[in-house]
Amino acid sequence: MEPLAGGLLAGVLEKQDGGRRYEERQQKRVEEHRPALEQYEAFCRELGQAPADVGLAWLLHQPAVTAPIVGPRTMQQFEGSLAALEVTLEDAALDRLDEIFPGYKAAPMEYAW
C-alpha cells in the first residue's frame, strides 16, 4: 500500500481541485471509507497539521517501517512530504489514529510464523 493510501490520507475530502479523487475507482474508495476519513481529517485539524503530514508521520512512528517510499509527482508534493519529519505524534494521537483506522497489527511480531 502506498504511504498515503493513494491519496486518501492526504486530505481527499478537503481538496477541491479535482484530480485523481474524481476518478470512479477513487470515488468508490472515498465513499467506502468516508466515515473514517471524516474523523481523520477532523483529527488532523485538531492537531493543526496537514493530513498528508500526519499520515506520513504516523507511518514513520511504526517500528517496522525503516524507510517509507513516497512517490511525489511534483516538487511541491516532495517538499510537503518533508514537513512530516517535523510532526511528532504523542501516544494519545497514535492511539486515536489506531481507533480511526482499526485492524492493523503490529509488525513484524503479529505476522511472524
Side-chain angles (χ1 to χ4, degrees), residues 51-110:
D53 296 345
V54 173
L56 290 175
W58 185 23
L59 183 65
L60 291 169
H61 278 77
Q62 304 307 312
V65 176
T66 57
I69 300 172
V70 297
R73 288 179 287 126
T74 67
M75 184 58 85
Q76 182 181 12
Q77 288 177 349
F78 172 72
E79 290 170 352
S81 296
L82 295 176
L85 297 172
E86 302 300 321
V87 176
T88 300
L89 298 172
E90 303 296 332
D91 288 342
L94 294 169
D95 290 344
R96 178 67 181 123
L97 291 167
D98 287 338
E99 288 172 11
I100 294 170
F101 298 106
Y104 298 98
K105 297 179 181 179
M109 296 74 60
E110 296 292 332

